[in-house]
Amino acid sequence: MKKNLKPHAYIYPLPVLIIGTYDENGTPNAMNAAWGTVSDETQVSICISATHKTMKNIFKTKNFTVSIADEKNVVSADYVGIVSGNKEKDKIKKAGWTYQKGEFTNAPVFNELPLCMECELVSYDNDSEICIGKVVNVCADESILDCKGKIDLTKFKPICYDCGGHGYYVLGEMIGKAFKDGLKLK
């Protein structure tokens, strides 16, 4: 029997996205944003309040990075989500991360996070607070790639956020093959 819960967008899993930006002085900032998804083959959509330092930076530079947090970085990923860049100017150093400028954007690529998408701002809707970015480059640490150069989740171990229980969980075990297993019922 199913039990009714109060209305809430329980979509599982929610990836733990780390949004990286530079401010007007070139100081890097990062925030943890779990409300994000793919909106097109080369676009991402992320819900970010215009009051966040991250969104203020995106408005100025029109560039940002989206990295996926992994098991090794859960503490730092949580930290950049609970501390405001409007108040803490050196979040990256305190998180223990290093960075380099993106090759295709004016945004930081965090060396400790193994998967990063460099993005250009496409649009921002003030009412919904949805930021849409065009992915102009993807870079991945070789340690998370298989022998064919594809991302291997068993090596990557990305984390996801449980919006109901407020926990982080690791992904990694493959239990089936997409676009193949269902053929058994065809």
Side-chain angles (χ1 to χ4, degrees), residues 15 20 31 41 50 88 132-133 137 160-162 166 168 177 184:
M31 75 170 281
E41 193 167 308
E88 176 56 59
I132 297 178
N137 184 49
C160 61
Y161 171 65
D162 168 12
H166 302 292
Y168 293 113
K177 291 292 261 174
K184 297 172 191 170

Side-chain angles (χ1 to χ4, degrees), residues 43-106:
Q43 287 188 345
V44 293
S45 299
I46 306 161
C47 185
I48 307 173
S49 170
T51 62
H52 284 290
K53 177 71 172 169
T54 297
M55 203 59 235
K56 292 174 186 176
N57 290 348
I58 292 171
F59 288 141
K60 290 175 186 166
T61 66
K62 309 294 187 226
N63 289 196
F64 59 100
T65 55
V66 178
S67 297
I68 312 292
D70 65 346
E71 182 178 39
K72 294 176 192 171
N73 285 283
V74 68
V75 171
S76 297
D78 191 53
Y79 170 76
V80 300
I82 58 178
V83 174
S84 171
N86 286 317
K87 296 177 182 173
E88 176 56 59
K89 301 301 179 204
D90 208 2
K91 284 173 64 173
I92 305 310
K93 186 175 181 180
K94 286 189 176 184
W97 289 341
T98 59
Y99 63 94
Q100 57 192 6
K101 184 180 177 294
E103 287 186 48
F104 296 83
T105 59
N106 181 27

